[in-house]
Every structure is written in C-alpha cells, then in structure tokens.
Amino acid sequence: RGAMPVFGLGTGGPDDEPGVIAQAVRAGYRLVDTAELYANEHLVARGLALSGVHREGVFLVSKTGQWCPGWYPTSRGTLARGVCLDGFEETVAAVRASLVRLEVAYLDLFLLHWPMGRGGRQQPLAHELLSAVPAEQHMTLDLADGAHATARVEAWRALLHLRGQGVLRAVGVCNFSERQLEQLRAATGELPDVLQLEMHPLLQRPQLLAYCERHGILVQAYGNFHEAVTSHPAIRGLAALAPKLGKLVPEPTGIISMRWALQSGAAILPRSRKPTYIAANLQVFWPGFRELLTPERMKELSALDANTSLYGAHHLFVEDRVA
C-alpha cells in the first residue's frame, strides 16, 4: 500500500503553525501526523498548501477519537481524560470529516486513537481534583465494560470498509495491547497495518514489538522527547559524546532517544514548533549517531526500561486494563 516514511512530523494542537509545518515538509519531512482530537487538521492542510510539495509527496496520517465523557485516576494520583471511539457509522462520518478538513481525497494512513468506547458504563467519581469541574463531569469510565471492545471492533470495521473503497490506503490503531489487537483479528480476520504507541528507552515494549514484527505490523513510536527521557543521565551521557552537533542542538538528547527507537525497529514522530529544531531533528540520520549507538550501547540502554508510561496512562496501555 505504499511505503510509510520512518520519520515524520508530529503535531498536537490548535497552536500548531502552518508556516512551521510547511517548513518541515520543505526541509524533508515526508510524513505529517494529525488527529481529529488535535483540532488542527485545517492548519495541517494550510501548511501542506504553503509547502509547495505535491499531495502525493506527503504521507498524511490522521486519527479518530474524541474526549470520553468521564475521567480516570492515574498511577500518579492525578486525573486524566481518555479518548473514546464511536460505532461504525460515526467512524465513517469522522473519517469523511477529516478528509474535508484536510482538503484531500484520501489519507495514506488512518488510526483509531485510543482503545476505549464512548458507550462504556460510567460511575460516580469523587476526587479533590474535580473541584473546578462541573458536577455533571464527576464521572469515571468503567474500564471493565465490554462496550469498549464492541466499539473497537465496530470502529475497526469502518476503517476496513473505507480502505476497501480506496478512501484510506492503510489503517491502524494507537495505544492498543496485543490482546486488543487479537480481538480485532478474531472479529474481522484483519490486523492493523500500523501500531502507534508510546515507546522510548524508559518504556521499550519488547514483547509487543516482537508481536508486531511476527505479524508484519509497522510500529510508530512517540514520547522520545519527554523530559523524563531527555534528562536521564544515561541519555545525557551519550549526548555529550556527540559534540559536532553542538551548533545545531545544544543537547541532542532527544535525537539519541529517537535514534534508539529507529535502531529498535520503529518509525518516529518528533513534534517541534521551533524552526531550528525542525531542521536539527533530521540529524537523527547523521552517520555519527549510527556509530554512537553501537550494539554494546544499545544493550546498555535496554537496561533503562522501567516499563512505565510517562503520559498518565500506565494502567490503560501497559497494564492493559481496558476490556
């Protein structure tokens, strides 16, 4: 279905600037990732138009999923909101709405954003952090409700249907577990083309990566610029060994982490809104980084795996608690 670039531009919100997106594409980024949830698809469309690069020259990715009606407690004692999927018809409508906002006739890849479903049961939630939240939102999702699995399968059927129509060239999911992937295969006989997930030296996911490799699922990694990763002494120590990049990147710790992901078999999605870093991130392909991350150093980095999500979703994605 066409080759997916291993390096792309991640976007994340309505503050993304079309001019920066255009600069990234002109600089050589050939994949741009967006989502319905980010409320920036129209900005991505404007950036692609400004770039002057033909539509066929950019691998365009979007996702469906909106904020769930309830909250969930995280392992850090905070509260977070999940992203919920809808049924077949709603997913078809969401894809078509993304096509309109992005001003394109097809998408190279479309993903289901999170593995939860909007129809899941809600339960009352009492938490001190909800004091500033309207009372009707004092709810939590029942993660054990089988409605989540039903929503996943129906949304997945919708993507397969649209791929068959040629509207989507490839289809995939984000943040799914091996068990949830097997649910999709059991229901439809099809596994995703791509799995996008949090993956960095502090959360390495070796079993899930091995599963994807066995089944031909491409992996896209996000999270390599999280502060907990870039500030880790082992990453900083390796970054100090790359002084030739000093004029481009004061501390190329994020590039070290991205290079680790590439050498672990994943594609990468750095997000930056600064033109200097847009250019500097391309240095991940600099031969010096390949030489820096020798097999011995890759083995040393494997010891950093804490198997912990840095985005407050540990029990959802790592402990696999969504039905």
Side-chain angles (χ1 to χ4, degrees):
R1 300 187 185 95
M4 183 183 77
V6 298
F7 179 89
L9 179 69
T11 67
D15 55 348
D16 285 305
E17 298 179 13
V20 174
I21 295 169
Q23 179 176 350
V25 174
R26 287 195 294 264
Y29 288 66
R30 284 297 178 264
L31 182 151
V32 178
D33 177 271
T34 180
E36 173 190 3
L37 184 73
Y38 302 161
N40 70 348
E41 288 173 315
H42 65 295
L43 301 175
V44 170
R46 197 177 310 161
L48 294 179
L50 288 172
S51 75
V53 175
H54 193 272
R55 167 68 186 94
E56 294 289 338
V58 179
F59 193 99
L60 192 52
V61 184
S62 194
K63 319 174 192 71
T64 187
Q66 282 290 350
W67 292 119
C68 298
W71 302 74
Y72 63 87
T74 73
S75 56
R76 299 176 181 177
T78 59
L79 291 177
R81 296 183 71 183
V83 180
C84 278
L85 304 171
D86 287 303
F88 183 96
E89 295 297 336
E90 294 88 349
T91 301
V92 169
V95 172
R96 297 199 181 280
S98 285
L99 292 171
V100 171
R101 289 189 293 267
L102 287 163
E103 301 177 24
V104 295
Y106 71 92
L107 282 164
D108 298 279
L109 173 63
F110 200 88
L111 307 168
L112 303 181
H113 208 153
W114 281 36
M116 285 112 84
R118 189 175 304 279
R121 287 189 303 271
Q122 299 177 54
Q123 300 170 335
L125 175 64
H127 199 289
E128 60 182 10
L129 294 178
L130 290 176
S131 59
V133 175
E136 62 270 18
Q137 296 183 24
H138 289 208
M139 305 293 290
T140 185
L141 289 173
D142 180 357
L143 298 180
D145 189 349
H148 296 297
T150 300
R152 282 197 297 274
V153 169
E154 288 305 302
W156 181 238
R157 290 187 195 278
L159 297 196
L160 295 176
H161 169 72
L162 291 169
R163 189 180 67 183
Q165 291 188 338
V167 174
L168 306 176
R169 293 191 170 178
V171 291
V173 299
C174 305
N175 305 310
F176 278 43
S177 68
E178 179 178 334
R179 176 183 59 83
Q180 291 161 348
L181 294 172
E182 283 297 312
Q183 286 177 344
L184 299 184
R185 180 161 69 163
T188 66
E190 293 266 10
L191 283 168
D193 299 312
V194 174
L195 171 63
Q196 189 180 111
L197 77 169
E198 180 185 353
M199 176 189 160
H200 43 72
L202 304 185
L203 180 61
Q204 299 185 15
R205 323 295 287 270
Q207 292 181 334
L208 188 51
L209 261 64
Y211 172 88
C212 290
E213 184 175 2
R214 288 197 306 273
H215 295 286
I217 301 171
L218 300 177
V219 172
Q220 279 185 320
Y222 68 82
N224 283 281
F225 277 83
H226 192 286
E227 184 179 0
V229 178
T230 58
S231 65
H232 194 284
I235 302 295
R236 292 175 66 87
L238 285 173
L241 299 177
K244 291 183 179 180
L245 289 183
K247 292 182 179 180
L248 283 178
V249 189
E251 290 185 298
T253 49
I255 297 180
I256 294 289
S257 182
M258 286 196 298
R259 186 70 219 178
W260 170 86
L262 281 175
Q263 291 182 204
S264 297
I268 48 177
L269 288 170
R271 182 192 182 199
S272 179
R273 288 172 289 170
K274 295 181 179 180
T276 301
Y277 283 84
I278 289 286
N281 287 339
L282 288 166
Q283 300 302 306
V284 71
F285 297 107
W286 179 57
F289 279 109
R290 291 199 300 271
E291 297 166 5
L292 187 62
L293 292 191
T294 62
E296 293 76 16
R297 286 183 174 136
M298 287 290 289
K299 186 175 181 180
E300 291 172 7
L301 289 178
S302 69
L304 302 185
D305 189 6
N307 197 37
T308 301
S309 170
L310 301 177
Y311 293 92
H314 180 79
H315 68 302
L316 298 184
F317 305 148
V318 180
E319 295 181 0
D320 192 19
R321 294 192 184 182
V322 184

